[in-house]
């Protein structure tokens, strides 16, 4: 059974609620008849309500950029899976390279967040990927193995049903450098292998692995043509309705 691709937009720290409404006003008509792929937009937390209201009844799902592992508590600045579900979010990005780089996210906190998201019924998009020094030192495989092994630690196959993984070569994010479709495909095959050893081959065959790293309208088609690539996690190009729609329609 072919895997349904997911085209997800990660807005990072951009747009106000008004700008969010304006985006959806322009974007939704461009993709309203699109059923081939799942479409997800992950705006900043302050824009979630505006996004959810705007996308109501459409074919676009709304996700958060992070999720905490506890249901509630003294965790200033964090948001729980239950809170996200209560307002209508269906997805959450976990362990994005910027969270790892700037905010002390580790493989272990990624694992905790993943378990909480799955337990609550969110669709987690777990990010893995190597930095430039690791790529140049031929450590890509080791890094991906470590990140996957630790992220998947003690996650049961039964609970893992909604898991989505995104491969982001950190050296290709916002740099204009893109991993070639073949490089991305090789990394995805490795991640799928790790998923197979944790969850079994049948699960791994159905697991959707997205590519993230300077995805643009002009390279989306070549990337999406690779059998191993099951969609995209799009940064900058998802901020513009036209360019994001072009990527969705790759």
């Amino acid at each position: 059974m072919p895997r349904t691709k997911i085209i997800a937009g990660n807005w990072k720290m951009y747009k106000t609620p008004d700008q969010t409404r304006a985006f959806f006003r322009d974007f939704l008509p461009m993709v309203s008849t699109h059923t081939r792929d799942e479409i997800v937009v992950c705006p900043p937390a302050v824009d979630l309500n505006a996004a959810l209201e705007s996308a109501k009844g459409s074919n676009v799902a709304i996700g958060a950029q992070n999720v905490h592992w506890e249901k509630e508590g003294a965790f200033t600045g964090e948001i729980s899976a239950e809170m996200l579900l209560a307002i209508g979010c269906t997805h959450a990005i976990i362990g994005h390279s910027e969270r790892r780089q700037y905010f002390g996210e580790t493989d272990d906190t990624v694992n905790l967040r993943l378990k909480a998201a799955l337990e609550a019924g969110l669709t987690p998009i777990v990010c893995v990927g190597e930095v430039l020094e690791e790529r140049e030192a031929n450590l890509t495989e080791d890094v991906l193995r470590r990140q996957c092994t630790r992220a998947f630690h003690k996650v049961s196959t039964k609970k893992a049903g909604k898991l989505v993984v995104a491969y982001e070569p950190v050296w290709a994010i916002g740099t204009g450098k893109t991993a070639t479709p073949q490089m991305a495909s090789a990394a995805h095959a490795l991640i799928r292998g790790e998923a197979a050893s944790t969850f079994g081959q049948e699960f791994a065959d159905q697991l959707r692995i997205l590519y993230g790293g300077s995805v643009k309208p002009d390279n989306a088609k070549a990337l999406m043509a690779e059998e191993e690539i099951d969609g995209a996690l799009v940064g900058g190009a998802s901020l513009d309705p036209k360019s994001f729609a072009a990527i969705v329609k790759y």
Side-chain angles (χ1 to χ4, degrees), residues 11 15-30 50 54 239 241:
W11 283 4
K15 294 193 192 296
T16 62
D18 281 349
Q19 289 169 332
T20 299
R21 284 184 272 268
F23 171 91
F24 280 99
R25 201 165 47 237
D26 295 340
F27 178 65
L28 291 176
M30 298 182 203
S54 302
L239 295 168

Side-chain angles (χ1 to χ4, degrees), residues 67-69 94-95 100 104-116 126-127 146-155:
V67 58
H68 196 262
W69 55 87
I94 294 174
R100 295 175 189 256
E105 192 83 64
T106 65
D107 294 332
D108 298 327
T109 58
V110 167
N111 173 249
L112 292 172
R113 292 180 202 272
L114 170 60
K115 286 195 277 210
V126 175
C127 301
R146 185 200 78 225
Q147 289 177 336
C148 289
T149 307
R150 292 198 187 157
F152 303 158
H153 183 61
K154 291 196 169 163
V155 175

